[in-house]
Amino acid sequence: MPEVDGQNRHCGYLDIDEMDTKKKFQHRYLIVDRKKGLIQWFIDKPMKASDEDKPCGIINIGYITKVDVASKAKVSYCFVINTPFRPYYVQTINQVELEEWVEIINDASKITTPNSRDPTGSQTSLDASIDPEQTFTYRTEIVGGVVVKKKCTLDGQVVKQDEPTSPTSLTHPDQHFQFPNVGSKIIKQGWAIKQGHVRKNWKRRYFILKQDRFAYYKSDQDKEPIRSIPINEILAARAEDEMKPRDNLLLLATTDKIYYIQAETEDDMYEWVDAFCNAININR
């Protein structure tokens, strides 16, 4: 059953499908940390801040779009945490525990749902669900056809995340540490044409996609990029066939912008789509 620790975080042991197979669940200790806006899980209950307490997985609460009972799962007492990247299936030991965890995580992500144990079916009000120590809420937007929840202040201003929340860089409750950087390998590089965000003109740029970030340059000889984007800020990449008359067009959705990139050939465009999908999967 979920418990509350000394830092006012909901914690407990659950079985989590880490590889998104809905077949192999791992027994993990899960922590819902509202203050940091993170859900993390560990092999065992962390006893102190140390390298041995690195989380096995992490979810940015701001990316959660819905938490609900996984009615199509073939295991009992299972719920699903939906994000733009992938669903996370979690199994509890009984129905009561399942309902409690769904309510806790929905409340943390500011999604209010009817309490199934309340015969009136009434919903918890938004004001009642706000943590007094928490000074932000979330806003749902559609970015490149992807549902995204952005952290905002109570007056509606989008909060810029200071720390990336991918597995390559995490903030521990008691100390800051970084996993070894494994993102130096180049996945794909080459010339393409990108649409500007202000004048909407198209310019030829040199693109380099690595395991941990994506950057574009004025020239393949330049050392400093025009812009560099961490992979954990990329939400989706797909072929864009609705924007005419441009052919071989790629749509790249990030947490704050939509990029339109025209490849030289159709094959090259699909290679970029596959490369971005691989990079996103590596950083899950």
Side-chain angles (χ1 to χ4, degrees):
M1 301 295 289
E3 58 184 19
V4 179
D5 67 5
Q7 299 182 52
N8 200 30
R9 304 175 303 179
H10 285 92
C11 315
Y13 284 98
L14 293 164
D15 294 332
I16 301 176
D17 176 21
E18 295 180 324
M19 303 304 296
D20 192 18
T21 63
K22 290 183 282 187
K23 295 180 180 179
K24 188 174 182 180
F25 288 74
Q26 303 291 338
H27 196 58
R28 299 291 185 242
Y29 189 80
L30 184 139
I31 298 176
V32 179
D33 193 332
R34 294 189 183 205
K35 189 173 182 180
K36 294 186 179 298
L38 301 175
I39 295 176
Q40 301 177 86
W41 55 92
F42 303 79
I43 293 178
D44 205 348
K45 182 177 181 179
M47 301 305 295
K48 60 181 180 179
S50 69
D51 289 340
E52 297 178 356
D53 290 336
K54 292 178 181 178
C56 302
I58 184 170
I59 302 174
N60 186 324
I61 291 177
Y63 288 153
I64 296 175
T65 57
K66 186 178 181 181
V67 184
D68 205 352
V69 176
S71 57
K72 295 183 179 180
K74 295 183 179 180
V75 295
S76 57
Y77 310 125
C78 183
F79 67 90
V80 58
I81 303 172
N82 289 293
T83 74
F85 310 102
R86 54 157 288 193
Y88 293 84
Y89 291 89
V90 184
Q91 186 178 23
T92 62
I93 60 174
N94 55 49
Q95 184 66 26
V96 174
E97 186 180 43
L98 182 149
E99 292 176 1
E100 287 190 12
W101 276 112
V102 169
E103 184 175 347
I104 287 168
I105 299 175
N106 268 330
D107 185 59
S109 62
K110 295 295 170 290
I111 303 172
T112 57
T113 58
N115 187 336
S116 60
R117 285 167 285 179
D118 182 357
T120 64
S122 61
Q123 289 187 332
T124 305
S125 68
L126 180 61
D127 291 339
S129 66
I130 294 179
D131 188 333
E133 297 182 357
Q134 187 164 289
T135 58
F136 57 83
T137 182
Y138 294 97
R139 183 174 71 203
T140 302
E141 296 181 357
I142 306 296
V143 180
V146 178
V147 180
V148 180
K149 295 189 71 185
K150 293 186 176 181
K151 183 186 288 187
C152 305
T153 59
L154 295 180
D155 60 359
Q157 299 297 317
V158 175
V159 176
K160 183 70 175 178
Q161 297 280 1
D162 293 331
E163 295 291 340
T165 54
S166 72
T168 57
S169 178
L170 303 175
T171 303
H172 191 275
D174 299 308
Q175 71 173 25
H176 178 75
F177 65 88
Q178 288 189 332
F179 286 93
N181 185 355
V182 295
S184 60
K185 181 180 178 181
I186 294 178
I187 299 177
K188 182 173 172 60
Q189 59 184 323
W191 289 98
I193 300 174
K194 187 187 79 69
Q195 185 184 49
H197 286 100
V198 179
R199 297 183 180 180
K200 303 300 181 183
N201 54 342
W202 295 81
K203 291 186 178 181
R204 194 165 184 257
R205 299 294 185 225
Y206 193 78
F207 297 88
I208 298 179
L209 174 62
K210 295 185 178 182
Q211 288 181 335
D212 65 338
R213 63 184 52 250
F214 168 64
Y216 55 91
Y217 304 74
K218 285 186 177 181
S219 166
D220 57 353
Q221 303 299 317
D222 288 355
K223 300 298 183 182
E224 295 296 325
I226 298 173
R227 185 169 186 191
S228 178
I229 306 168
I231 292 298
N232 67 302
E233 292 184 9
I234 298 177
L235 305 178
R238 61 178 174 84
E240 175 58 61
D241 55 5
E242 297 179 359
M243 190 173 180
K244 302 297 183 182
R246 294 278 172 174
D247 296 324
N248 313 324
L249 201 61
L250 162 71
L251 181 149
L252 188 68
T254 71
T255 54
D256 61 346
K257 291 181 180 179
I258 298 292
Y259 293 84
Y260 291 101
I261 301 170
Q262 185 181 20
E264 294 183 352
T265 66
E266 184 178 13
D267 288 342
D268 190 40
M269 182 267 293
Y270 281 113
E271 286 179 7
W272 276 110
V273 172
D274 290 341
F276 277 113
C277 291
N278 288 336
I280 292 171
N281 288 332
I282 289 171
N283 283 270
R284 279 181 176 174

